Amino acid sequence: MSLTNASPADAARAAKSASHVLATLSAEARNDALTAIHAGLTAARDEILAANARDLELARQAAADGKLSASLVSRLDLGKTGKWEDMLKGIWDVRDLEDPVGRVTLRTKLDDGLELERVTCPIGVLLIIFEARPEVIANIAALAVKSGNAAILKGGKESTESFVAISTAISNALSQTQVPNDAIQLVTTRESIPQLLALDRDIDLVIPRGSNELVRYIKENTKIPVLGHADGLCSIYLAASADAKLAADVVVDAKTSYPAACNSVETLLVQESALTTVFPAVASALAAKGVELRCDAASKAALSPEITTNIKDATAKDYDTEFLSLTLAVKTVPDLSAAIAHINTHGSHHTEAILTADQAEAERFMSAVDASGAYWNASTRFADGMRYGFGTEVGISTNKIHSRGPVGLEGLMIYKYKIRGQGHVSAVYGEGEGKKRFKHERLAI
Amino acid sequence: MSLTNASPADAARAAKSASHVLATLSAEARNDALTAIHAGLTAARDEILAANARDLELARQAAADGKLSASLVSRLDLGKTGKWEDMLKGIWDVRDLEDPVGRVTLRTKLDDGLELERVTCPIGVLLIIFEARPEVIANIAALAVKSGNAAILKGGKESTESFVAISTAISNALSQTQVPNDAIQLVTTRESIPQLLALDRDIDLVIPRGSNELVRYIKENTKIPVLGHADGLCSIYLAASADAKLAADVVVDAKTSYPAACNSVETLLVQESALTTVFPAVASALAAKGVELRCDAASKAALSPEITTNIKDATAKDYDTEFLSLTLAVKTVPDLSAAIAHINTHGSHHTEAILTADQAEAERFMSAVDASGAYWNASTRFADGMRYGFGTEVGISTNKIHSRGPVGLEGLMIYKYKIRGQGHVSAVYGEGEGKKRFKHERLAI
């Protein structure tokens, strides 16, 4: 790892060169590097925690002066119970994942002695821009090495001392491995971000890890593909046939189990004919958990006079708002089609759910909503790489190409085509007389 | 199909709405629409060829005035032998391809009664910007309908009458099918391009079909992902162990079978120790085909005095030039590593080949070159969707995410995750005591 004073352009060029070496290393060489990183961090524990304590000291002063939030200070703290151990365990977890490099996904016999093969390979150079949490640097370095990608890391200024200490340990560890030193670059100055975002020749993918504002800024200021999502405006459609207890359980989980998460529900669409049957039980369960409902006139009328606390009149803006808190917008819709239309217009293409006893209705919903996740009778909170069983999560993408939804290591891979021939030329193939035909036989993988 | 006078923004919004319907249609409904398009074009043959004749008449006048190239006039002509029939056959060919929509690519049992499924679905709205060839419109409309994507089509002004006639026929045909009318939109004014390129909320992918300049302009002027390649600077590395006849055959094919193609070779890298052994035979074969060699000093010296015609001194710029003609840059390199380094610095990440008898060397080359295609003892001209057996070609991508190399229908697809549960909530799962564990059992597809 280089802690570079070079210009962002030089850093990106060096990372690109290193990526070409990294892409050719064996799985064993990459896994050995992860073992070395783990050992290096373990050995440097005291220096790193001391550096982190200096960051924390400055951050606490800033918080006392009202310049920094207490939650940010808390996220900075590597000394919190279990955090250091989790960081180290994460490196081994990544190491033990299936190797994503060199997987053959297509083999075709084009002609005798002429074989086409599609094989997974690293994308190249990742730019990771993240905010305060210093343990992210170890996680990202591990993911990059495992996937054969070079990475340029840019962290938040509050954790600079921690980053430098961690990156020095990683750098020392990597220098004893086959992974080139330039493969992981740390950039520390904030001014470098716009410059890095302009380097679309050498940087292949940007992965922001932080607030909606950070992601939105990055998406709006680069032509490099961005993996992630700015918004998570998830909706649940409550159909009339839904079981009341099931619906209450799912909506409460989706709203209250972690309100600040991107996969929490923000809008509840209620079928008109469910207003007086299923909906009141759901509203009561939400009220019991302290959720404020922003209701349209019909849904409000359905609740009164039984439930009155925590109910407000919804405004149009509420249906476009990611509250990230114990607030839920409620809207009445006549039927499934209206629910789908609302979601496809107001949603953020993240995760949507339908609660219904009718399978045909559920299948139509899941096929028609334009989102990375479409669920039937399950909480939107399942949208997560670990919960999906990917072993890790690079991010959750609302993009329409490459990777969508929770992204594991696969999202850091692309493929190349290899052809192995024996001097084959193209001009002899064709439709005309005397021309050869391709065989195009699909071969076993 | 709408031939729209609406603003680009309205056209894109309408296409997005239509895409949500199109995405839910069955394979049968989409294939029926292709049958209808074929029949509609067949019935409208005379009107379309008459419109094309009017385009041709104007284009011939422009060519006579020196304002248009003869090759462009030739590409306009739908009346050329076989062109009309090929266009119609292409629609049936696309119809008969395997359905790309709704393919399950992952199934995981998260827990009892809770199943995760990853299923292919259309991307959404494609913007296709193409130049003169009017038959492209039928091809693209067919690919869009087959893949369940809506498309906005913008063609070159020289073939406006042909486009309008073809699109009217397609529109009439589609109006009798389940495909919504707004799913295929034709935009005719050139001023609309910058406006369309700004609509990154409603347009999901841009596919340019035309010159390098067109592609470069589009890539530089949009944040929407662009599928394609601006440059095709392909190289061949001639190693000392290569068989001379094999090498001559492959290099001649790669250079001369269609010099204007993006997959033609532009740079020949010659291993120093091959200069006086294999290289002269290759150079002689090229010279016999009228190829001009731009040689560095060492390669030039290796040829004289036997071959002197068509040899010029190379400049540095020649190694960054896509000649698209019977010109080939020749550079001497000491070994494989230097060849790989040259390609990864000067290449366009399109297609590269190595000619060698040494398998280990070939495998190292194919693993290390950063390109969508890496070939051993085969012509770079095989880089083509039809030749790869994809049945169609949407374009050739040099992108590092989503699709790379020749792109078939798969490149127009993304996926979504569906979860089918029975009221499952997330909060009960976790690592702590009393928490449930996910099962994460991979299920058969």
Side-chain angles (χ1 to χ4, degrees), chain A residues 20 123 253 363 366 369-370 372 374 376-377 386-387 400 402 404 415-417 419-421 423 426-427 440, chain B residues 20 123 253 363 366 369-370 372 374 376-377 379 386-387 400 402 404 415-417 419-421 423 426-427 440:
Chain A
H20 294 140
I123 288 176
D253 183 80
E363 294 297 334
M366 289 191 285
V369 293
D370 183 10
S372 70
W376 175 26
N377 287 348
M386 299 304 288
R387 289 172 176 176
K400 297 300 284 286
H402 190 62
R404 201 178 189 204
Y415 51 79
K416 71 198 318 182
Y417 288 98
I419 287 182
R420 296 177 179 88
S426 69
H440 289 156
Chain B
H20 293 141
I123 289 176
D253 182 80
E363 295 296 334
M366 289 191 285
V369 294
D370 183 9
S372 70
W376 175 25
N377 288 347
S379 169
M386 299 304 289
R387 289 171 176 175
K400 297 301 282 290
H402 190 63
R404 201 179 189 202
Y415 53 79
K416 72 198 319 181
Y417 288 97
I419 287 183
R420 297 178 180 88
S426 69
H440 290 154

Short mmCIF file of all heavy atoms in Angstrom, two decimals, chain A residues 20 123 253 363 366 369-370 372 374 376-377 386-387 400 402 404 415-417 419-421 423 426-427 440, chain B residues 20 123 253 363 366 369-370 372 374 376-377 379 386-387 400 402 404 415-417 419-421 423 426-427 440:
data_model
loop_
_atom_site.label_atom_id
_atom_site.label_comp_id
_atom_site.label_asym_id
_atom_site.label_seq_id
_atom_site.Cartn_x
_atom_site.Cartn_y
_atom_site.Cartn_z
N HIS A 20 -2.63 -4.60 -13.35
CA HIS A 20 -2.30 -5.57 -14.39
C HIS A 20 -1.48 -6.74 -13.84
O HIS A 20 -1.56 -7.85 -14.35
CB HIS A 20 -1.56 -4.88 -15.54
CG HIS A 20 -2.43 -3.89 -16.28
ND1 HIS A 20 -1.98 -2.69 -16.73
CD2 HIS A 20 -3.73 -3.95 -16.62
CE1 HIS A 20 -2.97 -2.04 -17.33
NE2 HIS A 20 -4.04 -2.80 -17.28
N ILE A 123 -12.07 -6.16 -12.44
CA ILE A 123 -12.44 -4.98 -13.23
C ILE A 123 -11.21 -4.11 -13.48
O ILE A 123 -11.04 -3.60 -14.57
CB ILE A 123 -13.53 -4.19 -12.48
CG1 ILE A 123 -14.86 -4.97 -12.54
CG2 ILE A 123 -13.69 -2.79 -13.04
CD1 ILE A 123 -15.99 -4.34 -11.77
N ASP A 253 -41.36 -4.76 11.43
CA ASP A 253 -39.94 -5.09 11.24
C ASP A 253 -39.30 -4.16 10.21
O ASP A 253 -38.20 -3.64 10.41
CB ASP A 253 -39.79 -6.54 10.77
CG ASP A 253 -38.33 -6.97 10.62
OD1 ASP A 253 -37.71 -7.29 11.65
OD2 ASP A 253 -37.82 -6.97 9.48
N GLU A 363 -46.98 -12.55 -7.72
CA GLU A 363 -46.07 -12.75 -8.86
C GLU A 363 -46.14 -11.56 -9.81
O GLU A 363 -45.12 -11.12 -10.35
CB GLU A 363 -46.40 -14.06 -9.59
CG GLU A 363 -46.14 -15.31 -8.75
CD GLU A 363 -44.67 -15.51 -8.37
OE1 GLU A 363 -43.78 -15.03 -9.08
OE2 GLU A 363 -44.42 -16.15 -7.31
N MET A 366 -44.13 -8.73 -8.22
CA MET A 366 -42.68 -8.94 -8.27
C MET A 366 -42.13 -8.79 -9.68
O MET A 366 -41.00 -8.37 -9.88
CB MET A 366 -42.34 -10.33 -7.70
CG MET A 366 -42.54 -10.41 -6.20
SD MET A 366 -41.85 -11.93 -5.47
CE MET A 366 -43.06 -13.13 -5.99
N VAL A 369 -42.68 -4.46 -10.54
CA VAL A 369 -42.02 -3.32 -9.89
C VAL A 369 -40.56 -3.22 -10.38
O VAL A 369 -39.87 -4.23 -10.51
CB VAL A 369 -42.08 -3.35 -8.35
CG1 VAL A 369 -43.50 -3.18 -7.85
CG2 VAL A 369 -41.42 -4.59 -7.78
N ASP A 370 -40.17 -2.01 -10.66
CA ASP A 370 -38.85 -1.74 -11.24
C ASP A 370 -37.88 -1.49 -10.08
O ASP A 370 -37.59 -0.35 -9.74
CB ASP A 370 -38.97 -0.52 -12.15
CG ASP A 370 -37.67 -0.17 -12.85
OD1 ASP A 370 -36.73 -0.98 -12.78
OD2 ASP A 370 -37.63 0.91 -13.47
N SER A 372 -34.54 -3.40 -7.45
CA SER A 372 -33.54 -4.46 -7.35
C SER A 372 -34.05 -5.63 -6.52
O SER A 372 -33.60 -6.75 -6.68
CB SER A 372 -32.25 -3.91 -6.76
OG SER A 372 -32.42 -3.59 -5.41
N ALA A 374 -37.81 -7.42 -5.02
CA ALA A 374 -39.27 -7.44 -5.01
C ALA A 374 -39.68 -8.65 -4.18
O ALA A 374 -39.38 -9.78 -4.54
CB ALA A 374 -39.82 -7.54 -6.42
N TRP A 376 -42.34 -10.95 -1.53
CA TRP A 376 -43.71 -11.34 -1.20
C TRP A 376 -43.74 -11.83 0.24
O TRP A 376 -43.05 -12.79 0.59
CB TRP A 376 -44.16 -12.45 -2.16
CG TRP A 376 -45.51 -13.04 -1.87
CD1 TRP A 376 -46.55 -12.44 -1.22
CD2 TRP A 376 -45.97 -14.35 -2.25
NE1 TRP A 376 -47.63 -13.28 -1.17
CE2 TRP A 376 -47.31 -14.47 -1.78
CE3 TRP A 376 -45.39 -15.42 -2.93
CZ2 TRP A 376 -48.06 -15.63 -1.98
CZ3 TRP A 376 -46.15 -16.56 -3.12
CH2 TRP A 376 -47.48 -16.67 -2.65
N ASN A 377 -44.53 -11.16 1.07
CA ASN A 377 -44.70 -11.55 2.47
C ASN A 377 -43.38 -11.68 3.22
O ASN A 377 -43.14 -12.66 3.94
CB ASN A 377 -45.50 -12.87 2.58
CG ASN A 377 -46.97 -12.67 2.24
OD1 ASN A 377 -47.44 -11.54 2.15
ND2 ASN A 377 -47.70 -13.76 2.04
N MET A 386 -25.07 -9.96 3.38
CA MET A 386 -24.86 -11.05 4.34
C MET A 386 -26.12 -11.89 4.45
O MET A 386 -26.06 -13.12 4.49
CB MET A 386 -24.49 -10.48 5.72
CG MET A 386 -23.21 -9.66 5.75
SD MET A 386 -21.74 -10.54 5.13
CE MET A 386 -21.48 -11.71 6.48
N ARG A 387 -27.28 -11.23 4.51
CA ARG A 387 -28.54 -11.96 4.63
C ARG A 387 -28.83 -12.78 3.37
O ARG A 387 -29.44 -13.84 3.44
CB ARG A 387 -29.67 -10.98 4.92
CG ARG A 387 -29.56 -10.43 6.34
CD ARG A 387 -30.53 -9.29 6.67
NE ARG A 387 -30.36 -8.93 8.08
CZ ARG A 387 -30.98 -7.94 8.69
NH1 ARG A 387 -31.84 -7.19 8.02
NH2 ARG A 387 -30.76 -7.69 9.96
N LYS A 400 -28.98 0.14 -13.16
CA LYS A 400 -29.69 -0.75 -14.06
C LYS A 400 -28.75 -1.61 -14.89
O LYS A 400 -29.21 -2.43 -15.68
CB LYS A 400 -30.62 0.06 -14.97
CG LYS A 400 -31.71 0.82 -14.24
CD LYS A 400 -32.65 -0.07 -13.44
CE LYS A 400 -33.63 -0.81 -14.30
NZ LYS A 400 -34.70 0.03 -14.82
N HIS A 402 -24.84 -3.94 -14.85
CA HIS A 402 -23.77 -4.59 -14.10
C HIS A 402 -24.25 -5.32 -12.86
O HIS A 402 -24.39 -6.52 -12.87
CB HIS A 402 -22.65 -3.61 -13.76
CG HIS A 402 -21.42 -4.28 -13.22
ND1 HIS A 402 -20.69 -5.18 -13.97
CD2 HIS A 402 -20.81 -4.22 -12.01
CE1 HIS A 402 -19.66 -5.62 -13.23
NE2 HIS A 402 -19.72 -5.06 -12.05
N ARG A 404 -26.95 -5.24 -9.35
CA ARG A 404 -28.17 -4.64 -8.84
C ARG A 404 -28.50 -5.31 -7.51
O ARG A 404 -28.34 -6.52 -7.36
CB ARG A 404 -29.29 -4.93 -9.85
CG ARG A 404 -30.46 -4.00 -9.76
CD ARG A 404 -31.48 -4.34 -10.83
NE ARG A 404 -32.50 -3.33 -10.89
CZ ARG A 404 -33.72 -3.52 -11.37
NH1 ARG A 404 -34.06 -4.70 -11.85
NH2 ARG A 404 -34.61 -2.55 -11.39
N TYR A 415 -15.51 -9.97 -17.14
CA TYR A 415 -15.00 -11.18 -17.77
C TYR A 415 -14.23 -10.78 -19.03
O TYR A 415 -14.31 -9.64 -19.50
CB TYR A 415 -16.15 -12.12 -18.15
CG TYR A 415 -17.24 -11.44 -18.95
CD1 TYR A 415 -17.10 -11.20 -20.31
CD2 TYR A 415 -18.41 -11.02 -18.34
CE1 TYR A 415 -18.09 -10.56 -21.03
CE2 TYR A 415 -19.41 -10.38 -19.06
CZ TYR A 415 -19.25 -10.15 -20.41
OH TYR A 415 -20.22 -9.51 -21.11
N LYS A 416 -13.45 -11.71 -19.54
CA LYS A 416 -12.82 -11.52 -20.83
C LYS A 416 -13.05 -12.79 -21.64
O LYS A 416 -13.34 -13.85 -21.08
CB LYS A 416 -11.34 -11.18 -20.70
CG LYS A 416 -10.49 -12.33 -20.25
CD LYS A 416 -9.11 -11.97 -19.69
CE LYS A 416 -8.32 -10.91 -20.36
NZ LYS A 416 -6.98 -10.76 -19.66
N TYR A 417 -12.93 -12.66 -22.94
CA TYR A 417 -13.04 -13.82 -23.81
C TYR A 417 -11.65 -14.26 -24.23
O TYR A 417 -10.85 -13.44 -24.68
CB TYR A 417 -13.87 -13.50 -25.05
CG TYR A 417 -15.35 -13.33 -24.76
CD1 TYR A 417 -15.91 -12.06 -24.59
CD2 TYR A 417 -16.18 -14.43 -24.65
CE1 TYR A 417 -17.26 -11.92 -24.31
CE2 TYR A 417 -17.54 -14.28 -24.37
CZ TYR A 417 -18.06 -13.02 -24.21
OH TYR A 417 -19.40 -12.88 -23.94
N ILE A 419 -9.69 -16.94 -26.83
CA ILE A 419 -9.83 -17.91 -27.92
C ILE A 419 -8.50 -18.63 -28.07
O ILE A 419 -7.44 -17.99 -28.10
CB ILE A 419 -10.21 -17.23 -29.26
CG1 ILE A 419 -11.68 -16.78 -29.22
CG2 ILE A 419 -10.01 -18.19 -30.44
CD1 ILE A 419 -12.17 -16.15 -30.51
N ARG A 420 -8.55 -19.95 -28.10
CA ARG A 420 -7.36 -20.74 -28.37
C ARG A 420 -7.53 -21.40 -29.72
O ARG A 420 -8.47 -22.17 -29.93
CB ARG A 420 -7.16 -21.79 -27.26
CG ARG A 420 -6.91 -21.16 -25.88
CD ARG A 420 -6.79 -22.21 -24.79
NE ARG A 420 -6.53 -21.58 -23.48
CZ ARG A 420 -7.48 -21.16 -22.64
NH1 ARG A 420 -8.75 -21.30 -22.96
NH2 ARG A 420 -7.15 -20.60 -21.50
N GLY A 421 -6.64 -21.05 -30.66
CA GLY A 421 -6.74 -21.58 -32.01
C GLY A 421 -5.47 -22.27 -32.44
O GLY A 421 -4.56 -22.51 -31.63
N GLY A 423 -3.97 -21.25 -35.56
CA GLY A 423 -3.70 -20.49 -36.78
C GLY A 423 -4.97 -20.17 -37.55
O GLY A 423 -4.91 -19.85 -38.73
N SER A 426 -10.27 -15.69 -40.13
CA SER A 426 -11.72 -15.45 -40.21
C SER A 426 -12.27 -15.54 -41.62
O SER A 426 -13.44 -15.87 -41.82
CB SER A 426 -12.03 -14.06 -39.64
OG SER A 426 -11.51 -13.05 -40.51
N ALA A 427 -11.41 -15.23 -42.60
CA ALA A 427 -11.93 -15.03 -43.96
C ALA A 427 -12.49 -16.30 -44.58
O ALA A 427 -13.28 -16.22 -45.53
CB ALA A 427 -10.83 -14.44 -44.85
N HIS A 440 -20.14 -23.76 -33.39
CA HIS A 440 -20.90 -23.20 -32.26
C HIS A 440 -21.49 -24.27 -31.35
O HIS A 440 -22.67 -24.26 -31.03
CB HIS A 440 -22.02 -22.28 -32.77
CG HIS A 440 -21.48 -20.99 -33.34
ND1 HIS A 440 -22.15 -20.24 -34.27
CD2 HIS A 440 -20.31 -20.35 -33.13
CE1 HIS A 440 -21.42 -19.18 -34.61
NE2 HIS A 440 -20.31 -19.23 -33.93
N HIS B 20 -42.23 -0.51 -18.33
CA HIS B 20 -42.75 -1.25 -17.18
C HIS B 20 -43.81 -2.26 -17.60
O HIS B 20 -43.97 -3.30 -16.96
CB HIS B 20 -43.30 -0.28 -16.14
CG HIS B 20 -42.24 0.57 -15.51
ND1 HIS B 20 -42.41 1.89 -15.20
CD2 HIS B 20 -40.96 0.28 -15.15
CE1 HIS B 20 -41.30 2.38 -14.67
NE2 HIS B 20 -40.40 1.41 -14.64
N ILE B 123 -33.39 -4.18 -18.88
CA ILE B 123 -32.76 -3.02 -18.25
C ILE B 123 -33.75 -1.88 -18.12
O ILE B 123 -33.80 -1.21 -17.11
CB ILE B 123 -31.52 -2.60 -19.07
CG1 ILE B 123 -30.41 -3.64 -18.88
CG2 ILE B 123 -31.05 -1.22 -18.68
CD1 ILE B 123 -29.17 -3.37 -19.71
N ASP B 253 -4.85 -12.16 -42.37
CA ASP B 253 -6.30 -12.15 -42.16
C ASP B 253 -6.70 -10.98 -41.26
O ASP B 253 -7.67 -10.26 -41.54
CB ASP B 253 -6.76 -13.46 -41.52
CG ASP B 253 -8.27 -13.54 -41.32
OD1 ASP B 253 -8.97 -13.82 -42.31
OD2 ASP B 253 -8.74 -13.30 -40.19
N GLU B 363 -0.79 -18.59 -22.33
CA GLU B 363 -1.70 -18.43 -21.19
C GLU B 363 -1.35 -17.18 -20.39
O GLU B 363 -2.24 -16.47 -19.93
CB GLU B 363 -1.66 -19.68 -20.30
CG GLU B 363 -2.20 -20.95 -20.98
CD GLU B 363 -3.69 -20.88 -21.34
OE1 GLU B 363 -4.43 -20.11 -20.70
OE2 GLU B 363 -4.10 -21.57 -22.30
N MET B 366 -2.72 -14.21 -22.33
CA MET B 366 -4.18 -14.09 -22.28
C MET B 366 -4.67 -13.65 -20.91
O MET B 366 -5.68 -12.98 -20.78
CB MET B 366 -4.83 -15.42 -22.67
CG MET B 366 -4.68 -15.72 -24.16
SD MET B 366 -5.71 -17.12 -24.70
CE MET B 366 -4.79 -18.49 -24.03
N VAL B 369 -3.16 -9.46 -20.59
CA VAL B 369 -3.57 -8.29 -21.38
C VAL B 369 -4.96 -7.84 -20.91
O VAL B 369 -5.85 -8.64 -20.68
CB VAL B 369 -3.55 -8.53 -22.91
CG1 VAL B 369 -2.14 -8.75 -23.40
CG2 VAL B 369 -4.48 -9.64 -23.34
N ASP B 370 -5.07 -6.53 -20.78
CA ASP B 370 -6.29 -5.92 -20.27
C ASP B 370 -7.20 -5.60 -21.46
O ASP B 370 -7.27 -4.48 -21.93
CB ASP B 370 -5.88 -4.64 -19.52
CG ASP B 370 -7.07 -3.94 -18.88
OD1 ASP B 370 -8.17 -4.52 -18.86
OD2 ASP B 370 -6.87 -2.81 -18.39
N SER B 372 -10.92 -7.04 -23.87
CA SER B 372 -12.14 -7.86 -23.85
C SER B 372 -11.90 -9.21 -24.53
O SER B 372 -12.59 -10.17 -24.24
CB SER B 372 -13.28 -7.12 -24.53
OG SER B 372 -13.07 -7.01 -25.91
N ALA B 374 -8.66 -11.95 -25.74
CA ALA B 374 -7.23 -12.29 -25.73
C ALA B 374 -7.10 -13.65 -26.41
O ALA B 374 -7.63 -14.63 -25.90
CB ALA B 374 -6.71 -12.32 -24.30
N TRP B 376 -5.05 -16.77 -28.73
CA TRP B 376 -3.80 -17.51 -28.97
C TRP B 376 -3.92 -18.15 -30.35
O TRP B 376 -4.80 -18.98 -30.58
CB TRP B 376 -3.61 -18.56 -27.88
CG TRP B 376 -2.42 -19.46 -28.07
CD1 TRP B 376 -1.28 -19.20 -28.78
CD2 TRP B 376 -2.25 -20.78 -27.54
NE1 TRP B 376 -0.41 -20.27 -28.71
CE2 TRP B 376 -0.98 -21.25 -27.94
CE3 TRP B 376 -3.04 -21.60 -26.73
CZ2 TRP B 376 -0.49 -22.51 -27.60
CZ3 TRP B 376 -2.55 -22.85 -26.38
CH2 TRP B 376 -1.29 -23.30 -26.81
N ASN B 377 -3.01 -17.79 -31.22
CA ASN B 377 -2.94 -18.37 -32.57
C ASN B 377 -4.28 -18.30 -33.31
O ASN B 377 -4.73 -19.27 -33.92
CB ASN B 377 -2.45 -19.83 -32.51
CG ASN B 377 -0.96 -19.91 -32.18
OD1 ASN B 377 -0.25 -18.90 -32.23
ND2 ASN B 377 -0.48 -21.11 -31.85
N SER B 379 -6.95 -15.16 -35.39
CA SER B 379 -7.07 -13.79 -35.88
C SER B 379 -7.96 -12.94 -34.97
O SER B 379 -9.00 -13.41 -34.49
CB SER B 379 -7.67 -13.82 -37.29
OG SER B 379 -8.04 -12.52 -37.70
N MET B 386 -21.74 -12.67 -33.94
CA MET B 386 -22.20 -13.79 -34.77
C MET B 386 -21.15 -14.90 -34.76
O MET B 386 -21.48 -16.08 -34.64
CB MET B 386 -22.47 -13.33 -36.20
CG MET B 386 -23.54 -12.26 -36.35
SD MET B 386 -25.15 -12.71 -35.64
CE MET B 386 -25.68 -13.96 -36.83
N ARG B 387 -19.89 -14.50 -34.87
CA ARG B 387 -18.82 -15.51 -34.87
C ARG B 387 -18.70 -16.21 -33.53
O ARG B 387 -18.35 -17.38 -33.46
CB ARG B 387 -17.50 -14.84 -35.27
CG ARG B 387 -17.51 -14.46 -36.75
CD ARG B 387 -16.33 -13.61 -37.19
NE ARG B 387 -16.43 -13.40 -38.65
CZ ARG B 387 -15.62 -12.63 -39.37
NH1 ARG B 387 -14.63 -12.00 -38.77
NH2 ARG B 387 -15.78 -12.52 -40.66
N LYS B 400 -15.50 -1.72 -18.71
CA LYS B 400 -14.98 -2.63 -17.70
C LYS B 400 -16.09 -3.16 -16.79
O LYS B 400 -15.81 -3.96 -15.89
CB LYS B 400 -13.90 -1.94 -16.87
CG LYS B 400 -12.67 -1.53 -17.68
CD LYS B 400 -11.99 -2.71 -18.36
CE LYS B 400 -11.15 -3.53 -17.41
NZ LYS B 400 -9.94 -2.89 -16.96
N HIS B 402 -20.41 -4.54 -16.58
CA HIS B 402 -21.61 -5.04 -17.24
C HIS B 402 -21.31 -6.00 -18.40
O HIS B 402 -21.41 -7.19 -18.23
CB HIS B 402 -22.50 -3.89 -17.72
CG HIS B 402 -23.85 -4.33 -18.19
ND1 HIS B 402 -24.75 -4.92 -17.36
CD2 HIS B 402 -24.44 -4.29 -19.41
CE1 HIS B 402 -25.85 -5.22 -18.04
NE2 HIS B 402 -25.69 -4.86 -19.28
N ARG B 404 -18.70 -6.93 -21.84
CA ARG B 404 -17.38 -6.69 -22.41
C ARG B 404 -17.23 -7.57 -23.64
O ARG B 404 -17.66 -8.73 -23.62
CB ARG B 404 -16.35 -7.09 -21.35
CG ARG B 404 -15.00 -6.47 -21.55
CD ARG B 404 -14.07 -6.90 -20.43
NE ARG B 404 -12.84 -6.14 -20.49
CZ ARG B 404 -11.69 -6.54 -19.97
NH1 ARG B 404 -11.62 -7.68 -19.32
NH2 ARG B 404 -10.61 -5.80 -20.08
N TYR B 415 -30.81 -8.05 -13.71
CA TYR B 415 -31.55 -9.02 -12.92
C TYR B 415 -32.20 -8.32 -11.75
O TYR B 415 -31.86 -7.18 -11.41
CB TYR B 415 -30.63 -10.14 -12.42
CG TYR B 415 -29.40 -9.63 -11.69
CD1 TYR B 415 -29.48 -9.21 -10.37
CD2 TYR B 415 -28.18 -9.54 -12.34
CE1 TYR B 415 -28.37 -8.72 -9.72
CE2 TYR B 415 -27.06 -9.05 -11.69
CZ TYR B 415 -27.16 -8.65 -10.37
OH TYR B 415 -26.06 -8.15 -9.73
N LYS B 416 -33.16 -8.99 -11.15
CA LYS B 416 -33.70 -8.52 -9.88
C LYS B 416 -33.76 -9.70 -8.93
O LYS B 416 -33.71 -10.86 -9.36
CB LYS B 416 -35.09 -7.88 -10.09
CG LYS B 416 -36.16 -8.87 -10.40
CD LYS B 416 -37.46 -8.29 -11.03
CE LYS B 416 -37.99 -7.01 -10.49
NZ LYS B 416 -39.25 -6.64 -11.22
N TYR B 417 -33.82 -9.38 -7.65
CA TYR B 417 -33.95 -10.43 -6.64
C TYR B 417 -35.40 -10.50 -6.18
O TYR B 417 -36.00 -9.48 -5.85
CB TYR B 417 -33.05 -10.14 -5.43
CG TYR B 417 -31.58 -10.33 -5.72
CD1 TYR B 417 -30.77 -9.25 -6.07
CD2 TYR B 417 -31.01 -11.59 -5.67
CE1 TYR B 417 -29.42 -9.43 -6.34
CE2 TYR B 417 -29.65 -11.77 -5.94
CZ TYR B 417 -28.87 -10.70 -6.26
OH TYR B 417 -27.54 -10.88 -6.54
N ILE B 419 -37.87 -12.36 -3.30
CA ILE B 419 -37.94 -13.19 -2.10
C ILE B 419 -39.39 -13.57 -1.89
O ILE B 419 -40.27 -12.72 -1.96
CB ILE B 419 -37.39 -12.45 -0.86
CG1 ILE B 419 -35.86 -12.34 -0.93
CG2 ILE B 419 -37.79 -13.20 0.42
CD1 ILE B 419 -35.23 -11.69 0.29
N ARG B 420 -39.61 -14.86 -1.69
CA ARG B 420 -40.95 -15.33 -1.35
C ARG B 420 -40.91 -15.84 0.09
O ARG B 420 -40.15 -16.76 0.40
CB ARG B 420 -41.39 -16.43 -2.31
CG ARG B 420 -41.52 -15.93 -3.77
CD ARG B 420 -41.91 -17.05 -4.73
NE ARG B 420 -42.03 -16.55 -6.10
CZ ARG B 420 -41.02 -16.48 -6.98
NH1 ARG B 420 -39.81 -16.87 -6.63
NH2 ARG B 420 -41.23 -16.00 -8.20
N GLY B 421 -41.69 -15.20 0.96
CA GLY B 421 -41.69 -15.57 2.36
C GLY B 421 -43.08 -15.92 2.85
O GLY B 421 -44.02 -16.04 2.08
N GLY B 423 -44.28 -14.20 5.79
CA GLY B 423 -44.36 -13.26 6.88
C GLY B 423 -43.06 -13.13 7.64
O GLY B 423 -43.03 -12.65 8.77
N SER B 426 -36.87 -9.64 9.73
CA SER B 426 -35.40 -9.71 9.78
C SER B 426 -34.87 -9.75 11.21
O SER B 426 -33.80 -10.30 11.47
CB SER B 426 -34.81 -8.51 9.06
OG SER B 426 -35.07 -7.32 9.79
N ALA B 427 -35.61 -9.15 12.14
CA ALA B 427 -35.04 -8.90 13.47
C ALA B 427 -34.75 -10.17 14.25
O ALA B 427 -33.96 -10.15 15.19
CB ALA B 427 -35.97 -7.99 14.28
N HIS B 440 -29.06 -20.45 4.18
CA HIS B 440 -28.21 -20.20 3.00
C HIS B 440 -27.88 -21.48 2.24
O HIS B 440 -26.73 -21.75 1.92
CB HIS B 440 -26.92 -19.47 3.40
CG HIS B 440 -27.17 -18.05 3.82
ND1 HIS B 440 -26.36 -17.37 4.67
CD2 HIS B 440 -28.15 -17.17 3.49
CE1 HIS B 440 -26.83 -16.14 4.87
NE2 HIS B 440 -27.92 -16.00 4.16
#
